[in-house]
Amino acid sequence: MEQIKTIRSLRAYVTEKRRTGSKIAFVPTMGALHEGHLELVRQGLKQAGICIPYIFLNPKQFGDGEDLDSYPKTLETDLDKLEKTGAQAVYVPSAADIYPPGFSTTVSVKGISEILEGAHRPHFFDGVATIVTKMLLQCLPDIALFGEKDYQQLLVIQKLVTDLNIPVQITGVPTVRDENGLALSSRNTYLSEAEYGIAIQLNKILAGMKPGNDAHAAHEKLKAAGFDKIDYCTICDAHTLLPPEENTQEKRALAAVWIGKTRLIDNLPVSE
Ligand code: PAF
């Protein structure tokens, strides 16, 4: 697996592969890779032939007091895991290359970025939208793959690609869960054994949510399960993330909850 460290060499690599007729898949990550990330890479390989994951811990999507400093950094293990998927190359740019002195542009997707996650982490989607736009423009892949676990992020990225006419197909990949249904996340490593016992209730409570005003009951169940704080737990229109209307076809239950200092998010489609 080739390690690509600069924008220039990324562009040269992609140009060369294109010249030989290959399609390119791109998988954005911040490292601390788990099976969820590796599944994105496997899907990318299946759908495009060539897959380039990137690893960049993006400081711009962390707010003051969030876990940027303690976020797990496991580069060597990450590279080993990627090698085993069959990915042909990995992009590992430096922070100095990505955000050189004087960098002053922000990509901000209004509306969908301002609710749910955006209401609780106001800096988050500007940080994500800015890095993803930069990375897509650096690589110009045919497809880019994102996990449905970050469902709102997936919709924000679909919107920015449409609005900015970036010629890439954004593909969502279903959430990978452990044997107890907990959505895999790099932040699960923060959980103690007792906290894990609480965390595995989240997907079960979401799965029990039905259309109608079920949010109150879900909040009560989350509190009874031992979650310390609920940022939100609600059923939304799956495309706009606004409250569902009478004629809304597809709905999604989304939640962000805290156990101690760990914040977990998850979501599931809602069936009637
Ligand atoms: O989902 C993530 O890991 C990050 O938000 C992303 C998309 C890699 C951007 O930094």
Side-chain angles (χ1 to χ4, degrees), residues 28-30 54 56 58 61 124 128 131-132 146 150 153 157:
T29 85
M30 296 202 298
Y54 83 66
F56 181 71
N58 176 35
Q61 66 190 77
F124 176 66
V128 169
I131 190 68
V132 171
F146 296 84
D150 295 280
Q153 169 174 281
I157 290 163

Side-chain angles (χ1 to χ4, degrees), residues 177-197:
R177 298 177 181 278
D178 73 7
E179 65 279 12
N180 293 307
L182 179 65
L184 297 192
S185 161
S186 307
R187 290 185 168 103
N188 291 353
T189 55
Y190 300 156
L191 297 169
S192 69
E193 205 175 313
E195 290 173 333
Y196 176 81

Side-chain angles (χ1 to χ4, degrees), residues 132-153:
V132 171
T133 303
K134 277 178 70 76
M135 292 297 199
L136 290 177
L137 293 176
Q138 287 175 21
C139 181
L140 286 176
D142 297 280
I143 67 172
L145 298 97
F146 296 84
E148 283 183 356
K149 171 172 171 277
D150 295 280
Y151 188 77
Q152 188 175 4
Q153 169 174 281

Side-chain angles (χ1 to χ4, degrees), residues 163-222:
D163 286 354
L164 298 178
N165 309 108
I166 303 178
V168 56
Q169 178 198 314
I170 301 299
T171 300
V173 175
T175 304
V176 178
R177 298 177 181 278
D178 73 7
E179 65 279 12
N180 293 307
L182 179 65
L184 297 192
S185 161
S186 307
R187 290 185 168 103
N188 291 353
T189 55
Y190 300 156
L191 297 169
S192 69
E193 205 175 313
E195 290 173 333
Y196 176 81
I198 299 170
I200 58 175
Q201 302 304 316
L202 177 57
N203 70 92
K204 296 172 184 71
I205 294 170
L206 280 174
M209 288 177 80
K210 293 280 166 252
N213 189 7
D214 209 19
H216 179 71
H219 275 67
E220 292 306 311
K221 285 184 197 163
L222 287 166

Side-chain angles (χ1 to χ4, degrees), residues 216-245:
H216 179 71
H219 275 67
E220 292 306 311
K221 285 184 197 163
L222 287 166
K223 281 188 219 150
F227 290 96
D228 294 307
K229 195 162 107 165
I230 304 160
D231 280 352
Y232 57 86
C233 178
T234 184
I235 293 179
C236 303
D237 179 308
H239 299 284
T240 61
L241 298 188
L242 295 172
E245 312 252 346

